Amino acid sequence: MDIRAITPDYAVSPQIEPGDLPAIKAAGYVTVIDNRPDGEIPPHLHTAEMRKAAEALGLAFVANPVIGGQITMDNVTAQGAAIAASAGPVFAYCASGNRSSIVWALANAGKRPADELVGLPARFGYQLDHLRPQIEVLAKG
């Protein structure tokens, strides 16, 4: 597991296993967002299994499956709502952490400067510069 803290309150990661959840909780995260559609992963990593394991540890768990290349405004809104509803730091995962970074950036359009929304994920290799026009439109809107 590779926790990549985009901000002190939001981190992303490539796919995790149920056995990673105790370390995520120990790191201070209180909400886990699963951005991975079940169709991409083996059954032991499906949403229901991950939810059961997370909730058994007292972690809040939110499923917001994001299909690569087909991110919707519903995904962006759901990510923003899950972040806003969290009682503390949020840990989100997908295949590489990229989709979790993208929905975070788009959900925060207008709340943070576009340079931060692109630059913070870039520290971990997530190239979101192509989203700058979308971020700027959402910030106005």
Side-chain angles (χ1 to χ4, degrees), residues 51-105:
R51 179 185 307 280
K52 181 178 170 184
E55 291 177 349
L57 294 170
L59 293 165
F61 186 89
V62 177
N64 181 23
V66 176
I67 298 171
Q70 297 179 36
I71 295 172
T72 67
M73 279 311 298
D74 285 343
N75 291 135
V76 172
T77 302
Q79 198 84 0
I83 293 166
S86 182
V90 174
F91 176 92
Y93 70 93
C94 57
S96 68
N98 191 59
R99 287 177 269 182
S100 297
S101 296
I102 291 171
V103 288
W104 168 83

mmCIF file of all heavy atoms in Angstrom, residues 51-105:
data_model
loop_
_atom_site.group_PDB
_atom_site.id
_atom_site.type_symbol
_atom_site.label_atom_id
_atom_site.label_comp_id
_atom_site.label_asym_id
_atom_site.label_seq_id
_atom_site.Cartn_x
_atom_site.Cartn_y
_atom_site.Cartn_z
ATOM 1 N N ARG A 51 -16.258 -2.786 1.987
ATOM 2 C CA ARG A 51 -17.133 -2.081 2.932
ATOM 3 C C ARG A 51 -17.201 -2.844 4.256
ATOM 4 O O ARG A 51 -17.069 -2.250 5.330
ATOM 5 C CB ARG A 51 -18.539 -1.911 2.347
ATOM 6 C CG ARG A 51 -19.505 -1.198 3.322
ATOM 7 C CD ARG A 51 -20.933 -1.143 2.776
ATOM 8 N NE ARG A 51 -21.017 -0.588 1.445
ATOM 9 C CZ ARG A 51 -20.998 0.714 1.163
ATOM 10 N NH1 ARG A 51 -20.893 1.601 2.130
ATOM 11 N NH2 ARG A 51 -21.092 1.119 -0.088
ATOM 12 N N LYS A 52 -17.398 -4.128 4.175
ATOM 13 C CA LYS A 52 -17.506 -4.955 5.382
ATOM 14 C C LYS A 52 -16.233 -4.843 6.227
ATOM 15 O O LYS A 52 -16.297 -4.656 7.445
ATOM 16 C CB LYS A 52 -17.758 -6.414 4.975
ATOM 17 C CG LYS A 52 -17.925 -7.377 6.104
ATOM 18 C CD LYS A 52 -18.211 -8.773 5.540
ATOM 19 C CE LYS A 52 -18.155 -9.823 6.623
ATOM 20 N NZ LYS A 52 -18.335 -11.170 6.074
ATOM 21 N N ALA A 53 -15.101 -4.933 5.587
ATOM 22 C CA ALA A 53 -13.817 -4.860 6.301
ATOM 23 C C ALA A 53 -13.588 -3.470 6.891
ATOM 24 O O ALA A 53 -13.116 -3.337 8.029
ATOM 25 C CB ALA A 53 -12.675 -5.246 5.368
ATOM 26 N N ALA A 54 -13.910 -2.425 6.138
ATOM 27 C CA ALA A 54 -13.714 -1.052 6.620
ATOM 28 C C ALA A 54 -14.638 -0.751 7.794
ATOM 29 O O ALA A 54 -14.197 -0.217 8.827
ATOM 30 C CB ALA A 54 -13.951 -0.062 5.482
ATOM 31 N N GLU A 55 -15.906 -1.082 7.637
ATOM 32 C CA GLU A 55 -16.869 -0.780 8.688
ATOM 33 C C GLU A 55 -16.600 -1.579 9.960
ATOM 34 O O GLU A 55 -16.866 -1.096 11.071
ATOM 35 C CB GLU A 55 -18.289 -0.969 8.174
ATOM 36 C CG GLU A 55 -18.649 0.110 7.143
ATOM 37 C CD GLU A 55 -20.021 -0.032 6.524
ATOM 38 O OE1 GLU A 55 -20.679 -1.095 6.718
ATOM 39 O OE2 GLU A 55 -20.444 0.909 5.822
ATOM 40 N N ALA A 56 -16.040 -2.775 9.824
ATOM 41 C CA ALA A 56 -15.677 -3.577 11.000
ATOM 42 C C ALA A 56 -14.610 -2.872 11.841
ATOM 43 O O ALA A 56 -14.514 -3.102 13.047
ATOM 44 C CB ALA A 56 -15.184 -4.956 10.570
ATOM 45 N N LEU A 57 -13.844 -1.999 11.209
ATOM 46 C CA LEU A 57 -12.804 -1.233 11.905
ATOM 47 C C LEU A 57 -13.296 0.140 12.348
ATOM 48 O O LEU A 57 -12.527 0.926 12.915
ATOM 49 C CB LEU A 57 -11.585 -1.056 10.997
ATOM 50 C CG LEU A 57 -10.822 -2.322 10.641
ATOM 51 C CD1 LEU A 57 -9.798 -2.032 9.560
ATOM 52 C CD2 LEU A 57 -10.152 -2.893 11.885
ATOM 53 N N GLY A 58 -14.559 0.450 12.061
ATOM 54 C CA GLY A 58 -15.104 1.747 12.431
ATOM 55 C C GLY A 58 -14.834 2.844 11.415
ATOM 56 O O GLY A 58 -15.034 4.023 11.705
ATOM 57 N N LEU A 59 -14.390 2.464 10.233
ATOM 58 C CA LEU A 59 -14.162 3.434 9.170
ATOM 59 C C LEU A 59 -15.453 3.667 8.391
ATOM 60 O O LEU A 59 -16.193 2.716 8.121
ATOM 61 C CB LEU A 59 -13.088 2.926 8.207
ATOM 62 C CG LEU A 59 -11.671 2.811 8.758
ATOM 63 C CD1 LEU A 59 -10.807 1.958 7.839
ATOM 64 C CD2 LEU A 59 -11.068 4.194 8.941
ATOM 65 N N ALA A 60 -15.711 4.909 8.018
ATOM 66 C CA ALA A 60 -16.807 5.189 7.092
ATOM 67 C C ALA A 60 -16.352 4.716 5.715
ATOM 68 O O ALA A 60 -15.173 4.829 5.376
ATOM 69 C CB ALA A 60 -17.124 6.675 7.075
ATOM 70 N N PHE A 61 -17.277 4.190 4.930
ATOM 71 C CA PHE A 61 -16.925 3.665 3.612
ATOM 72 C C PHE A 61 -17.913 4.187 2.584
ATOM 73 O O PHE A 61 -19.128 4.111 2.785
ATOM 74 C CB PHE A 61 -16.950 2.129 3.621
ATOM 75 C CG PHE A 61 -16.467 1.521 2.347
ATOM 76 C CD1 PHE A 61 -15.125 1.233 2.170
ATOM 77 C CD2 PHE A 61 -17.344 1.234 1.316
ATOM 78 C CE1 PHE A 61 -14.656 0.678 0.987
ATOM 79 C CE2 PHE A 61 -16.891 0.674 0.122
ATOM 80 C CZ PHE A 61 -15.546 0.390 -0.035
ATOM 81 N N VAL A 62 -17.394 4.737 1.496
ATOM 82 C CA VAL A 62 -18.225 5.288 0.423
ATOM 83 C C VAL A 62 -17.802 4.653 -0.892
ATOM 84 O O VAL A 62 -16.618 4.631 -1.222
ATOM 85 C CB VAL A 62 -18.064 6.822 0.329
ATOM 86 C CG1 VAL A 62 -18.868 7.384 -0.840
ATOM 87 C CG2 VAL A 62 -18.456 7.493 1.634
ATOM 88 N N ALA A 63 -18.768 4.136 -1.630
ATOM 89 C CA ALA A 63 -18.499 3.597 -2.967
ATOM 90 C C ALA A 63 -18.873 4.662 -3.996
ATOM 91 O O ALA A 63 -20.008 5.146 -4.008
ATOM 92 C CB ALA A 63 -19.291 2.329 -3.207
ATOM 93 N N ASN A 64 -17.914 5.049 -4.807
ATOM 94 C CA ASN A 64 -18.132 5.999 -5.896
ATOM 95 C C ASN A 64 -17.340 5.479 -7.092
ATOM 96 O O ASN A 64 -16.271 5.986 -7.407
ATOM 97 C CB ASN A 64 -17.668 7.403 -5.484
ATOM 98 C CG ASN A 64 -17.892 8.432 -6.594
ATOM 99 O OD1 ASN A 64 -18.724 8.256 -7.476
ATOM 100 N ND2 ASN A 64 -17.125 9.516 -6.538
ATOM 101 N N PRO A 65 -17.861 4.418 -7.751
ATOM 102 C CA PRO A 65 -17.109 3.823 -8.857
ATOM 103 C C PRO A 65 -16.952 4.774 -10.038
ATOM 104 O O PRO A 65 -17.932 5.319 -10.534
ATOM 105 C CB PRO A 65 -17.937 2.595 -9.233
ATOM 106 C CG PRO A 65 -19.300 2.838 -8.680
ATOM 107 C CD PRO A 65 -19.144 3.772 -7.523
ATOM 108 N N VAL A 66 -15.700 4.985 -10.416
ATOM 109 C CA VAL A 66 -15.365 5.875 -11.520
ATOM 110 C C VAL A 66 -14.783 5.028 -12.645
ATOM 111 O O VAL A 66 -13.790 4.332 -12.453
ATOM 112 C CB VAL A 66 -14.329 6.934 -11.059
ATOM 113 C CG1 VAL A 66 -13.904 7.802 -12.227
ATOM 114 C CG2 VAL A 66 -14.894 7.778 -9.923
ATOM 115 N N ILE A 67 -15.406 5.096 -13.799
ATOM 116 C CA ILE A 67 -14.922 4.350 -14.957
ATOM 117 C C ILE A 67 -13.865 5.202 -15.652
ATOM 118 O O ILE A 67 -14.110 6.365 -15.976
ATOM 119 C CB ILE A 67 -16.078 4.011 -15.919
ATOM 120 C CG1 ILE A 67 -17.089 3.109 -15.205
ATOM 121 C CG2 ILE A 67 -15.551 3.361 -17.194
ATOM 122 C CD1 ILE A 67 -18.377 2.887 -15.974
ATOM 123 N N GLY A 68 -12.697 4.632 -15.856
ATOM 124 C CA GLY A 68 -11.597 5.357 -16.501
ATOM 125 C C GLY A 68 -12.010 5.947 -17.829
ATOM 126 O O GLY A 68 -12.614 5.265 -18.657
ATOM 127 N N GLY A 69 -11.718 7.231 -18.000
ATOM 128 C CA GLY A 69 -12.050 7.910 -19.243
ATOM 129 C C GLY A 69 -13.512 8.292 -19.361
ATOM 130 O O GLY A 69 -13.919 8.864 -20.365
ATOM 131 N N GLN A 70 -14.314 7.958 -18.341
ATOM 132 C CA GLN A 70 -15.749 8.259 -18.400
ATOM 133 C C GLN A 70 -16.236 8.878 -17.098
ATOM 134 O O GLN A 70 -17.331 8.593 -16.632
ATOM 135 C CB GLN A 70 -16.523 6.971 -18.677
ATOM 136 C CG GLN A 70 -16.196 6.336 -20.001
ATOM 137 C CD GLN A 70 -16.980 5.046 -20.213
ATOM 138 O OE1 GLN A 70 -18.125 4.933 -19.803
ATOM 139 N NE2 GLN A 70 -16.357 4.079 -20.859
ATOM 140 N N ILE A 71 -15.418 9.725 -16.503
ATOM 141 C CA ILE A 71 -15.803 10.383 -15.254
ATOM 142 C C ILE A 71 -17.000 11.283 -15.520
ATOM 143 O O ILE A 71 -17.014 12.048 -16.484
ATOM 144 C CB ILE A 71 -14.617 11.179 -14.682
ATOM 145 C CG1 ILE A 71 -13.508 10.203 -14.296
ATOM 146 C CG2 ILE A 71 -15.049 12.043 -13.506
ATOM 147 C CD1 ILE A 71 -12.211 10.860 -13.903
ATOM 148 N N THR A 72 -17.984 11.198 -14.642
ATOM 149 C CA THR A 72 -19.202 11.989 -14.791
ATOM 150 C C THR A 72 -19.279 13.063 -13.708
ATOM 151 O O THR A 72 -18.580 12.993 -12.691
ATOM 152 C CB THR A 72 -20.453 11.099 -14.668
ATOM 153 O OG1 THR A 72 -20.536 10.609 -13.320
ATOM 154 C CG2 THR A 72 -20.401 9.921 -15.652
ATOM 155 N N MET A 73 -20.153 14.021 -13.901
ATOM 156 C CA MET A 73 -20.380 15.023 -12.861
ATOM 157 C C MET A 73 -20.985 14.376 -11.629
ATOM 158 O O MET A 73 -20.766 14.846 -10.517
ATOM 159 C CB MET A 73 -21.250 16.171 -13.381
ATOM 160 C CG MET A 73 -20.471 17.196 -14.191
ATOM 161 S SD MET A 73 -18.932 17.809 -13.405
ATOM 162 C CE MET A 73 -19.569 18.595 -11.939
ATOM 163 N N ASP A 74 -21.732 13.291 -11.795
ATOM 164 C CA ASP A 74 -22.242 12.565 -10.626
ATOM 165 C C ASP A 74 -21.071 12.026 -9.789
ATOM 166 O O ASP A 74 -21.114 12.072 -8.563
ATOM 167 C CB ASP A 74 -23.156 11.409 -11.046
ATOM 168 C CG ASP A 74 -24.521 11.885 -11.519
ATOM 169 O OD1 ASP A 74 -24.898 13.049 -11.237
ATOM 170 O OD2 ASP A 74 -25.220 11.090 -12.171
ATOM 171 N N ASN A 75 -20.026 11.521 -10.459
ATOM 172 C CA ASN A 75 -18.829 11.066 -9.740
ATOM 173 C C ASN A 75 -18.190 12.220 -8.969
ATOM 174 O O ASN A 75 -17.802 12.065 -7.805
ATOM 175 C CB ASN A 75 -17.784 10.483 -10.678
ATOM 176 C CG ASN A 75 -18.155 9.170 -11.311
ATOM 177 O OD1 ASN A 75 -17.961 8.992 -12.516
ATOM 178 N ND2 ASN A 75 -18.668 8.229 -10.544
ATOM 179 N N VAL A 76 -18.069 13.361 -9.627
ATOM 180 C CA VAL A 76 -17.434 14.531 -9.014
ATOM 181 C C VAL A 76 -18.253 14.997 -7.814
ATOM 182 O O VAL A 76 -17.711 15.241 -6.723
ATOM 183 C CB VAL A 76 -17.266 15.661 -10.053
ATOM 184 C CG1 VAL A 76 -16.780 16.946 -9.400
ATOM 185 C CG2 VAL A 76 -16.319 15.220 -11.172
ATOM 186 N N THR A 77 -19.571 15.098 -7.996
ATOM 187 C CA THR A 77 -20.452 15.538 -6.916
ATOM 188 C C THR A 77 -20.424 14.554 -5.749
ATOM 189 O O THR A 77 -20.360 14.969 -4.587
ATOM 190 C CB THR A 77 -21.889 15.693 -7.452
ATOM 191 O OG1 THR A 77 -21.868 16.643 -8.529
ATOM 192 C CG2 THR A 77 -22.846 16.174 -6.384
ATOM 193 N N ALA A 78 -20.451 13.257 -6.048
ATOM 194 C CA ALA A 78 -20.423 12.244 -4.988
ATOM 195 C C ALA A 78 -19.111 12.294 -4.209
ATOM 196 O O ALA A 78 -19.096 12.159 -2.983
ATOM 197 C CB ALA A 78 -20.636 10.853 -5.581
ATOM 198 N N GLN A 79 -17.997 12.498 -4.909
ATOM 199 C CA GLN A 79 -16.703 12.583 -4.227
ATOM 200 C C GLN A 79 -16.683 13.801 -3.303
ATOM 201 O O GLN A 79 -16.273 13.699 -2.143
ATOM 202 C CB GLN A 79 -15.568 12.659 -5.248
ATOM 203 C CG GLN A 79 -14.215 12.323 -4.680
ATOM 204 C CD GLN A 79 -13.959 10.822 -4.650
ATOM 205 O OE1 GLN A 79 -14.789 10.006 -5.056
ATOM 206 N NE2 GLN A 79 -12.799 10.442 -4.172
ATOM 207 N N GLY A 80 -17.133 14.925 -3.822
ATOM 208 C CA GLY A 80 -17.177 16.145 -3.013
ATOM 209 C C GLY A 80 -18.066 15.988 -1.794
ATOM 210 O O GLY A 80 -17.710 16.431 -0.693
ATOM 211 N N ALA A 81 -19.218 15.343 -1.967
ATOM 212 C CA ALA A 81 -20.137 15.134 -0.849
ATOM 213 C C ALA A 81 -19.528 14.204 0.204
ATOM 214 O O ALA A 81 -19.658 14.445 1.409
ATOM 215 C CB ALA A 81 -21.459 14.561 -1.356
ATOM 216 N N ALA A 82 -18.846 13.159 -0.246
ATOM 217 C CA ALA A 82 -18.213 12.231 0.693
ATOM 218 C C ALA A 82 -17.101 12.916 1.477
ATOM 219 O O ALA A 82 -16.957 12.703 2.687
ATOM 220 C CB ALA A 82 -17.672 11.012 -0.050
ATOM 221 N N ILE A 83 -16.339 13.746 0.808
ATOM 222 C CA ILE A 83 -15.264 14.488 1.473
ATOM 223 C C ILE A 83 -15.869 15.449 2.497
ATOM 224 O O ILE A 83 -15.424 15.517 3.646
ATOM 225 C CB ILE A 83 -14.389 15.227 0.445
ATOM 226 C CG1 ILE A 83 -13.615 14.217 -0.417
ATOM 227 C CG2 ILE A 83 -13.442 16.203 1.132
ATOM 228 C CD1 ILE A 83 -12.993 14.816 -1.676
ATOM 229 N N ALA A 84 -16.900 16.175 2.086
ATOM 230 C CA ALA A 84 -17.536 17.154 2.977
ATOM 231 C C ALA A 84 -18.185 16.487 4.188
ATOM 232 O O ALA A 84 -18.185 17.047 5.286
ATOM 233 C CB ALA A 84 -18.572 17.972 2.197
ATOM 234 N N ALA A 85 -18.725 15.293 4.003
ATOM 235 C CA ALA A 85 -19.418 14.596 5.087
ATOM 236 C C ALA A 85 -18.463 13.893 6.051
ATOM 237 O O ALA A 85 -18.871 13.497 7.142
ATOM 238 C CB ALA A 85 -20.392 13.579 4.501
ATOM 239 N N SER A 86 -17.225 13.744 5.658
ATOM 240 C CA SER A 86 -16.279 13.003 6.486
ATOM 241 C C SER A 86 -15.976 13.747 7.784
ATOM 242 O O SER A 86 -15.791 14.969 7.788
ATOM 243 C CB SER A 86 -14.982 12.755 5.720
ATOM 244 O OG SER A 86 -14.091 11.999 6.528
ATOM 245 N N ALA A 87 -15.875 12.983 8.858
ATOM 246 C CA ALA A 87 -15.545 13.545 10.176
ATOM 247 C C ALA A 87 -14.046 13.770 10.339
ATOM 248 O O ALA A 87 -13.602 14.190 11.399
ATOM 249 C CB ALA A 87 -16.064 12.614 11.268
ATOM 250 N N GLY A 88 -13.273 13.481 9.300
ATOM 251 C CA GLY A 88 -11.824 13.637 9.375
ATOM 252 C C GLY A 88 -11.189 13.321 8.041
ATOM 253 O O GLY A 88 -11.871 13.302 7.008
ATOM 254 N N PRO A 89 -9.891 13.037 8.041
ATOM 255 C CA PRO A 89 -9.176 12.786 6.791
ATOM 256 C C PRO A 89 -9.759 11.626 5.970
ATOM 257 O O PRO A 89 -10.231 10.628 6.512
ATOM 258 C CB PRO A 89 -7.756 12.463 7.265
ATOM 259 C CG PRO A 89 -7.627 13.171 8.568
ATOM 260 C CD PRO A 89 -8.984 13.054 9.198
ATOM 261 N N VAL A 90 -9.682 11.795 4.651
ATOM 262 C CA VAL A 90 -10.262 10.859 3.682
ATOM 263 C C VAL A 90 -9.151 10.163 2.909
ATOM 264 O O VAL A 90 -8.189 10.790 2.474
ATOM 265 C CB VAL A 90 -11.180 11.622 2.700
ATOM 266 C CG1 VAL A 90 -11.680 10.712 1.584
ATOM 267 C CG2 VAL A 90 -12.343 12.263 3.445
ATOM 268 N N PHE A 91 -9.331 8.871 2.720
ATOM 269 C CA PHE A 91 -8.430 8.039 1.927
ATOM 270 C C PHE A 91 -9.241 7.491 0.762
ATOM 271 O O PHE A 91 -10.263 6.829 0.971
ATOM 272 C CB PHE A 91 -7.909 6.891 2.803
ATOM 273 C CG PHE A 91 -7.043 5.915 2.062
ATOM 274 C CD1 PHE A 91 -5.668 6.080 2.028
ATOM 275 C CD2 PHE A 91 -7.591 4.821 1.408
ATOM 276 C CE1 PHE A 91 -4.858 5.183 1.351
ATOM 277 C CE2 PHE A 91 -6.797 3.921 0.728
ATOM 278 C CZ PHE A 91 -5.428 4.098 0.701
ATOM 279 N N ALA A 92 -8.826 7.775 -0.481
ATOM 280 C CA ALA A 92 -9.539 7.292 -1.666
ATOM 281 C C ALA A 92 -8.611 6.424 -2.500
ATOM 282 O O ALA A 92 -7.410 6.692 -2.587
ATOM 283 C CB ALA A 92 -10.038 8.467 -2.494
ATOM 284 N N TYR A 93 -9.170 5.390 -3.105
ATOM 285 C CA TYR A 93 -8.348 4.515 -3.938
ATOM 286 C C TYR A 93 -9.058 4.122 -5.219
ATOM 287 O O TYR A 93 -10.280 4.138 -5.314
ATOM 288 C CB TYR A 93 -7.908 3.265 -3.166
ATOM 289 C CG TYR A 93 -9.028 2.290 -2.864
ATOM 290 C CD1 TYR A 93 -9.311 1.235 -3.725
ATOM 291 C CD2 TYR A 93 -9.800 2.421 -1.723
ATOM 292 C CE1 TYR A 93 -10.333 0.334 -3.457
ATOM 293 C CE2 TYR A 93 -10.816 1.525 -1.435
ATOM 294 C CZ TYR A 93 -11.083 0.486 -2.308
ATOM 295 O OH TYR A 93 -12.099 -0.403 -2.038
ATOM 296 N N CYS A 94 -8.228 3.785 -6.212
ATOM 297 C CA CYS A 94 -8.693 3.245 -7.492
ATOM 298 C C CYS A 94 -7.572 2.345 -7.990
ATOM 299 O O CYS A 94 -6.837 1.776 -7.183
ATOM 300 C CB CYS A 94 -9.063 4.360 -8.461
ATOM 301 S SG CYS A 94 -7.736 5.531 -8.810
ATOM 302 N N ALA A 95 -7.390 2.198 -9.273
ATOM 303 C CA ALA A 95 -6.335 1.312 -9.787
ATOM 304 C C ALA A 95 -4.944 1.882 -9.519
ATOM 305 O O ALA A 95 -4.030 1.162 -9.129
ATOM 306 C CB ALA A 95 -6.519 1.060 -11.276
ATOM 307 N N SER A 96 -4.795 3.201 -9.731
ATOM 308 C CA SER A 96 -3.476 3.822 -9.573
ATOM 309 C C SER A 96 -3.487 5.028 -8.644
ATOM 310 O O SER A 96 -2.433 5.511 -8.253
ATOM 311 C CB SER A 96 -2.955 4.280 -10.936
ATOM 312 O OG SER A 96 -3.749 5.366 -11.407
ATOM 313 N N GLY A 97 -4.675 5.534 -8.346
ATOM 314 C CA GLY A 97 -4.820 6.770 -7.594
ATOM 315 C C GLY A 97 -5.171 7.943 -8.499
ATOM 316 O O GLY A 97 -5.570 9.007 -8.033
ATOM 317 N N ASN A 98 -5.036 7.762 -9.805
ATOM 318 C CA ASN A 98 -5.295 8.848 -10.750
ATOM 319 C C ASN A 98 -6.757 9.283 -10.745
ATOM 320 O O ASN A 98 -7.052 10.479 -10.644
ATOM 321 C CB ASN A 98 -4.863 8.430 -12.155
ATOM 322 C CG ASN A 98 -4.868 9.602 -13.116
ATOM 323 O OD1 ASN A 98 -4.182 10.593 -12.899
ATOM 324 N ND2 ASN A 98 -5.653 9.489 -14.180
ATOM 325 N N ARG A 99 -7.682 8.351 -10.866
ATOM 326 C CA ARG A 99 -9.104 8.720 -10.886
ATOM 327 C C ARG A 99 -9.509 9.397 -9.575
ATOM 328 O O ARG A 99 -10.277 10.355 -9.577
ATOM 329 C CB ARG A 99 -9.984 7.498 -11.151
ATOM 330 C CG ARG A 99 -9.910 7.030 -12.588
ATOM 331 C CD ARG A 99 -10.721 5.776 -12.803
ATOM 332 N NE ARG A 99 -9.867 4.611 -12.590
ATOM 333 C CZ ARG A 99 -10.248 3.358 -12.735
ATOM 334 N NH1 ARG A 99 -11.490 3.070 -13.058
ATOM 335 N NH2 ARG A 99 -9.404 2.373 -12.555
ATOM 336 N N SER A 100 -8.975 8.893 -8.462
ATOM 337 C CA SER A 100 -9.274 9.497 -7.160
ATOM 338 C C SER A 100 -8.730 10.918 -7.089
ATOM 339 O O SER A 100 -9.318 11.783 -6.427
ATOM 340 C CB SER A 100 -8.685 8.643 -6.030
ATOM 341 O OG SER A 100 -9.283 7.360 -6.005
ATOM 342 N N SER A 101 -7.615 11.178 -7.766
ATOM 343 C CA SER A 101 -7.055 12.532 -7.833
ATOM 344 C C SER A 101 -7.906 13.434 -8.718
ATOM 345 O O SER A 101 -8.149 14.598 -8.384
ATOM 346 C CB SER A 101 -5.626 12.496 -8.382
ATOM 347 O OG SER A 101 -4.783 11.805 -7.510
ATOM 348 N N ILE A 102 -8.355 12.902 -9.837
ATOM 349 C CA ILE A 102 -9.149 13.691 -10.779
ATOM 350 C C ILE A 102 -10.468 14.127 -10.145
ATOM 351 O O ILE A 102 -10.822 15.315 -10.203
ATOM 352 C CB ILE A 102 -9.403 12.915 -12.085
ATOM 353 C CG1 ILE A 102 -8.094 12.768 -12.867
ATOM 354 C CG2 ILE A 102 -10.473 13.601 -12.932
ATOM 355 C CD1 ILE A 102 -8.185 11.828 -14.067
ATOM 356 N N VAL A 103 -11.201 13.202 -9.524
ATOM 357 C CA VAL A 103 -12.496 13.593 -8.946
ATOM 358 C C VAL A 103 -12.298 14.554 -7.777
ATOM 359 O O VAL A 103 -13.124 15.442 -7.555
ATOM 360 C CB VAL A 103 -13.390 12.389 -8.568
ATOM 361 C CG1 VAL A 103 -13.946 11.715 -9.813
ATOM 362 C CG2 VAL A 103 -12.680 11.394 -7.687
ATOM 363 N N TRP A 104 -11.192 14.413 -7.040
ATOM 364 C CA TRP A 104 -10.875 15.371 -5.970
ATOM 365 C C TRP A 104 -10.648 16.763 -6.579
ATOM 366 O O TRP A 104 -11.200 17.751 -6.091
ATOM 367 C CB TRP A 104 -9.631 14.918 -5.199
ATOM 368 C CG TRP A 104 -9.094 15.974 -4.289
ATOM 369 C CD1 TRP A 104 -9.538 16.264 -3.024
ATOM 370 C CD2 TRP A 104 -8.044 16.906 -4.570
ATOM 371 N NE1 TRP A 104 -8.817 17.324 -2.505
ATOM 372 C CE2 TRP A 104 -7.895 17.733 -3.447
ATOM 373 C CE3 TRP A 104 -7.208 17.120 -5.675
ATOM 374 C CZ2 TRP A 104 -6.948 18.757 -3.378
ATOM 375 C CZ3 TRP A 104 -6.268 18.134 -5.613
ATOM 376 C CH2 TRP A 104 -6.145 18.943 -4.470
ATOM 377 N N ALA A 105 -9.822 16.833 -7.610
ATOM 378 C CA ALA A 105 -9.509 18.121 -8.232
ATOM 379 C C ALA A 105 -10.771 18.786 -8.770
ATOM 380 O O ALA A 105 -11.009 19.981 -8.534
ATOM 381 C CB ALA A 105 -8.475 17.935 -9.339
#
